Amino acid sequence: VLKLNVLAVSMDHDFITPMARQNIKKITTELCVDLHYINNDILNKESRRCVRQWAKKPDAAMCLTFCTGCRYGINRLIPQYVQKLGIPLLLTGHVPIEAKMTYRVALLCDNNKINTSNKLYGYGKRLLRNPSYLRSIKSLYYQYQDFKSDSIYKWKRPPLVISPFYYVKWKEDEIIPKVLELGWEYDKEFRSSWRSDCYVGILRQFFYKIMLGYNDVDVYYAHLVKNGEMGHDDALKRIKQEGDHNEDV
């Protein structure tokens, strides 16, 4: 419809699930779209390092550090790669409801008022409580960039970053059948229909559930109910089905 010359770009790392890799390949092949992978070795190293550091003194707020390398890849590596290729437009898969997942950052802020100074203050206190975080200057750099809200939407140079789902409403009952028709498959290892691409992400949700009693799945469906997009009973059913992760995974 828009007559765009499309290139699909994804990150390659040690924690992507085999089924996710297979699905990406299937969809891009079916749609006749070229696929480029960017190696994110920062994610490989930082996720392992941060989980080891976190395990010295577990803290629900610092579970965010597990995925620092991933967010750095999304906010920096992908725009840099697209810019290098001279591509003027970058479309992301972000949806508005992701911006409402503020509880993860609010855990850092003692007064629940989310701003840069409160985040950095809460982050600094946790560094002092668990000095193992201070052993890697690189980790501190990436985490600082992350906690000061270095978002992809702050990218000031080309490419122009647009998230289509901020303008086109996500309709699960229409989209899921379509992607299944294109060859997308659910990963039987996971219970979630909407997030099963990364083992580190699943690990983070597992610890949130243990330490807080809820995780992204609960908050996601709570917002759908609040917005009138899903009934209360259906949401509870989905939370029961998808909210807990298999310990073996």
Side-chain angles (χ1 to χ4, degrees), residues 64 71 75-76 105 108-109 114-120 141-156:
L64 267 180
R71 288 187 293 271
N75 296 333
R76 289 294 189 90
V105 178
L108 282 171
C109 307
I114 300 174
N115 56 46
T116 300
S117 59
N118 280 345
K119 283 191 290 184
L120 292 177
Y141 169 76
Y142 295 128
Q143 290 168 22
Y144 171 75
Q145 294 294 328
D146 191 20
F147 286 129
K148 76 181 184 71
S149 300
D150 197 9
S151 165
I152 190 172
Y153 300 106
K154 291 188 176 182
W155 190 261
K156 300 299 184 183

Side-chain angles (χ1 to χ4, degrees), residues 69 73 115 160 172 174 207 220-221:
N115 56 46
L160 174 65
E172 186 179 75
E174 295 180 10
F207 284 124
Y220 173 76
Y221 287 117

Side-chain angles (χ1 to χ4, degrees), residues 14 19 39 53-55 61 65 129 139-140 169 171 198 210 224 229 237 240 247:
D14 294 344
M19 182 62 74
N39 182 45
Q53 293 168 337
W54 178 88
T65 63
R129 291 175 190 169
S139 288
L140 292 174
K169 188 175 181 180
K171 296 181 179 179
C198 176
I210 290 176
L224 290 185
E229 299 178 49
K237 182 179 178 181
K240 185 176 181 180
E247 292 192 22

